[in-house]
Amino acid sequence: MFPFSLSSKFIGRIRRNAAAIAAAVVVGAGAVGGPALTPARADTSSPPATPGYWLVASDGGIFSFGSARFLGSTGNIHLNQPITGMAPTPTGNGYWLVASDGGIFAFGDAGFFGSTGSIKLNKPITGMSTSASGKGYRMVASDGGVFSFGDAAFFGSTGGQTLAKPISSMAPTPSGTGYWMVASDGGVFPFGDAVGFGGAPTVPSTHGPRAIAAMVPSPSGAGYWEASTTGEVLPFGDAANLGGAANLSRPIVGMAAVPRPGAGTGPAGGAVTPTPPGPAATTTTTQAPYRGAAGTFSSVASPSWGSLPDPATGRSQIVHATLEVGDRLFVAGEFTNIEDPATSPATPASPATPYLAVLDVASGAPVANSPFSDPTLQPDGVVNALAVSPDGQTLYVGGKFMKAGGGTSPRLAALDVDTGRIVGAFAPPAPNAEVHALVVNHGHLFAGGAFTTLGTEAHGLVAEFDAASGAVLPFQSPALAAGTYSGHGGTPDPASPLPPTVHDLAVTADGSYVLAGGDFLHFGTTEATDPNGKKDGGLVALDGTTGALTPWQPVGGRPTFSLFTGLDGTTIFAAKGGGGGVGTAFVPGSPTPLWTNNVDGDATGIVATATTAYLVGHFNHAGIKPTDPCLVFTPTHNVNCPNGTHNNHLVAFDAKTGFLDTTFTAQADTNKGPDDASMGAHHLYVGGDFNGVADSVTGACTNHAIVYCKSYRAQPGLAVYPGSS
């Protein structure tokens, strides 16, 4: 949702009235060349009437928010140098990306007017601005040298000056007859009709050391904003104080604004779209996931509140889902309240927060006076799934409830993040059974679960909605046949009376593939074409537009409980059950998985940073091969692993190779343990029915049939692991 959650999940929750600002975020060195192919689903419709903004990653992946439309990216080509900036066309129906070597990439109605991509530069390009007509643009280098193309006029430069700090960005005046440059210390250099209104050096920093990365003019040109690498946004002149970004996982490097309606006619030429030079090295994305700044997470859980004990099982009431939105953590599940395990006895929240609670990310305690604690707004049943809109303002919830946010919206609802109230404009037809999975992509909301109808219309297990209105989109999932995986071992049962269920969804960033995982045997297949679901049971790939099975299909044959789209927007990570469990990574369309690892119990949750994949579930041992001695069961159902290392319910692997990461030693208790995992800007969140956690294996808790471990410290139902690198 990149979100990111990059997304508002990646940059923290940006205030709604700040949606006219766009930022370019570094997420890793890419490599550049020339203009890129425009991917499918790019939107070139009429100019935006409401605010919006884009984020661009250094690999050229585009993240669209509000009215900002996805028009293409460099995500499908190999780059020689990283992207360092972007600029919109006057119509808002196109944009340019510029790389540090001056290579230009034009999309939508943006024309290609030249580049410095073949010129040896003294200093790297750090930003760009467009002409008033959209028939030209300028680039600025870190020494303040300006390179003009098309009809973009030259009004001066700092190329002959000795600068205290390098130039980091530039911005045009609304008239098109001037521009500003800004240095990394916030010093402003106006040219043409641009007027200086102050700079960052005059404003004390509240965010530590400050480095200005970008600037954007106010609509009138009588002011501007400066943005620092930490997300601090400083207004000058008549620029309004709209707030900034928080909880960044990568530094800000540029800004761009979506033009007002009617602000230009655009260039006559279109984007140059040559054949890409080789296989895709990065991917396009339009929704920034909230994927952590950390490459790895600590094995030591931070103190936090958790769920109440369940007297019937001796375990904690289960947490099914967690979602970080800015400085808040939303926690969902079957719990009737939360408690502080650090007190003796544990202190419950008052008022109670059944099924959906909100914690402060920094402290792990309930957010004081949160509207979600209002009994009149709380859901009246279990919440299984959470997702957030790219602007961080709408929380989507799915589950078994009938009411939420003070209104009726059976099993699927949209809630205002700030008020906790139901968003009335979102009015989907009611699913007839529970919802288990939610994913936001390209302004659409995908839902998965056990439902077979939406309102009165047949719609099985997966559906696509307009994320604003809740209207059902033409996506139609394939036919569903009887049969599920059942029992502890995930035995295929074609005659099972239980309803097949989709437990999780993952959508590639370009929206072309929707992966659906669950306990179904036949989703688009039959017992005759795929006996016992051996080939496609439990996991299928659907076309992101039509909902039909795609020609390529992933490796199935096991129930799938969790799916996660990697930071590159294409790699899918899956957690599976069955006879033992599996963690695996694959790229849709590829003939074989990247890696597949085995554990000795169901794998129920998985997430991945750029370097490390984290798998959670009901297991106690992990092995690279199914024949690993630590995965061979004895007749008593214990594992014969005298010299092996226990991985009680949590384990980490190298995200690229699948090699076991032995530095991550976190443990959890109970015989089931974790149910779900998610990532925030700086934390790994694990939810389940465990009572306690440990930093490493302890002698009292190495048996496969763990119920609870008195040697573990109390951490019921929720564990929060901070980033360690």
Side-chain angles (χ1 to χ4, degrees):
M1 296 322 195
F2 163 104
F4 262 165
S5 159
L6 292 129
S7 83
S8 54
K9 297 166 70 174
F10 173 81
I11 62 173
R13 186 171 57 88
I14 297 178
R15 296 179 187 174
R16 187 176 312 199
N17 59 355
I21 294 176
V25 181
V26 176
V27 295
V32 172
L37 290 177
T38 302
R41 298 188 75 157
D43 185 349
T44 57
S45 55
S46 60
T50 57
Y53 64 94
W54 297 278
L55 305 183
V56 60
S58 62
D59 67 355
I62 294 292
F63 310 93
S64 301
F65 299 84
S67 64
R69 297 174 175 85
F70 173 67
L71 302 164
S73 81
T74 61
N76 290 334
I77 69 170
H78 180 79
L79 299 173
N80 299 319
Q81 297 294 331
I83 298 297
T84 57
M86 73 181 299
T89 64
T91 65
N93 287 328
Y95 46 71
W96 295 271
L97 306 183
V98 63
S100 63
D101 67 353
I104 287 288
F105 303 83
F107 301 92
D109 66 2
F112 180 72
F113 304 106
S115 77
T116 65
S118 61
I119 300 174
K120 181 176 176 58
L121 299 170
N122 294 324
K123 297 292 182 179
I125 299 299
T126 58
M128 69 181 300
S129 67
T130 183
S131 67
S133 68
K135 297 181 180 180
Y137 44 71
R138 309 168 195 87
M139 304 176 212
V140 64
S142 63
D143 64 354
V146 173
F147 304 84
S148 296
F149 299 89
D151 69 355
F154 175 78
F155 300 108
S157 77
T158 64
Q161 301 180 33
T162 299
L163 299 172
K165 295 292 183 180
I167 297 298
S168 57
S169 185
M170 73 184 307
T173 61
S175 68
T177 56
Y179 47 73
W180 296 273
M181 296 181 199
V182 63
S184 62
D185 65 354
V188 174
F189 302 84
F191 298 90
D193 68 351
V195 177
F197 300 100
T202 65
V203 182
S205 174
T206 59
H207 290 61
R210 175 191 287 148
I212 296 299
M215 71 185 306
V216 161
S218 67
S220 68
Y224 43 71
W225 293 274
E226 291 184 357
S228 76
T229 56
T230 61
E232 182 184 25
V233 177
L234 306 173
F236 299 92
D238 71 353
N241 184 1
L242 303 177
N247 298 323
L248 288 167
S249 50
R250 295 294 187 272
I252 298 295
V253 300
M255 299 179 72
V258 175
R260 291 170 295 174
T265 58
V272 180
T273 55
T275 302
T282 56
T283 57
T284 301
T285 184
T286 61
Q287 172 188 328
Y290 211 17
R291 314 300 170 82
T296 58
F297 295 100
S298 170
S299 301
V300 182
S302 300
S304 71
W305 286 48
S307 57
L308 293 184
D310 183 347
T313 64
R315 301 187 292 265
S316 298
Q317 295 176 348
I318 194 164
V319 170
H320 282 309
T322 53
L323 177 64
E324 184 180 297
V325 181
D327 57 3
R328 287 171 283 185
L329 175 67
F330 289 86
V331 182
E334 300 183 25
F335 52 85
T336 55
N337 199 4
I338 58 174
E339 65 179 17
D340 182 4
T343 62
S344 183
T347 304
S350 181
T353 56
Y355 311 122
L356 182 63
V358 188
L359 304 183
D360 178 81
V361 167
S363 69
V367 172
N369 301 314
S370 169
F372 288 87
S373 297
D374 183 342
T376 66
L377 302 181
Q378 292 166 348
D380 62 355
V382 171
V383 176
N384 293 320
L386 302 170
V388 69
S389 61
D391 64 3
Q393 290 297 313
T394 303
L395 178 73
Y396 299 97
V397 294
K400 300 180 181 179
F401 55 84
M402 293 290 108
K403 296 181 178 180
T408 299
S409 190
R411 305 181 184 91
L412 178 61
L415 308 177
D416 187 286
V417 165
D418 292 324
T419 68
R421 295 189 175 278
I422 195 167
V423 177
F426 182 79
N432 69 326
E434 63 186 293
V435 171
H436 281 272
L438 296 171
V439 176
V440 177
N441 181 282
H442 290 280
H444 300 168
L445 175 69
F446 291 90
F451 54 86
T452 55
T453 64
L454 298 174
T456 59
E457 300 294 324
H459 223 105
L461 304 193
V462 181
E464 183 181 16
F465 304 87
D466 180 275
S469 68
V472 179
L473 298 177
F475 179 100
Q476 182 63 55
S477 53
L480 181 66
T484 66
Y485 293 97
S486 61
H488 179 77
T491 304
D493 183 0
S496 171
L498 299 175
T501 299
V502 163
H503 290 296
D504 207 0
L505 298 171
V507 183
T508 55
D510 63 2
S512 59
Y513 285 96
V514 176
L515 284 300
D519 61 12
F520 52 83
L521 289 185
H522 304 297
F523 197 19
T525 63
T526 65
E527 182 64 16
T529 60
D530 185 20
N532 287 329
K534 188 174 182 180
K535 180 182 177 183
D536 296 318
L539 181 62
V540 295
L542 309 177
D543 184 280
T545 300
T546 67
L549 290 174
T550 61
W552 171 88
Q553 287 296 312
V555 176
R558 287 176 174 266
T560 300
F561 297 109
S562 178
L563 294 165
F564 181 84
T565 304
L567 298 186
D568 61 6
T570 56
T571 302
I572 303 297
F573 296 84
K576 302 182 179 183
V582 162
T584 186
F586 58 88
V587 175
S590 298
T592 57
L594 297 174
W595 52 265
T596 299
N597 289 339
N598 294 265
V599 289
D600 65 342
D602 287 342
T604 57
I606 193 167
V607 293
T609 69
T611 61
T612 310
Y614 293 87
L615 186 72
V616 305
H618 305 165
F619 54 84
N620 293 91
H621 294 277
I624 302 301
K625 298 179 180 180
T627 55
D628 190 303
C630 291
L631 301 175
V632 178
F633 291 101
T634 68
T636 58
H637 203 64
N638 288 328
V639 174
N640 181 19
C641 188
N643 299 315
T645 299
H646 287 73
N647 304 103
N648 292 331
H649 302 322
L650 299 95
V651 68
F653 302 103
D654 184 288
K656 302 294 186 183
T657 66
F659 292 164
L660 189 68
D661 180 355
T662 58
T663 65
F664 183 73
T665 57
Q667 315 282 315
D669 67 3
T670 75
N671 57 344
K672 288 187 176 180
D675 182 69
D676 176 74
S678 74
M679 282 197 311
H682 301 284
H683 296 88
L684 168 68
Y685 301 104
V686 178
D689 71 358
F690 48 87
N691 297 321
V693 298
D695 310 337
S696 60
V697 176
T698 60
C701 298
T702 58
N703 189 286
H704 177 78
I706 294 173
V707 177
Y708 28 79
C709 298
K710 294 181 180 179
S711 61
Y712 282 25
R713 65 182 178 277
Q715 195 57 64
L718 174 66
V720 179
Y721 298 93
S724 58
S725 68

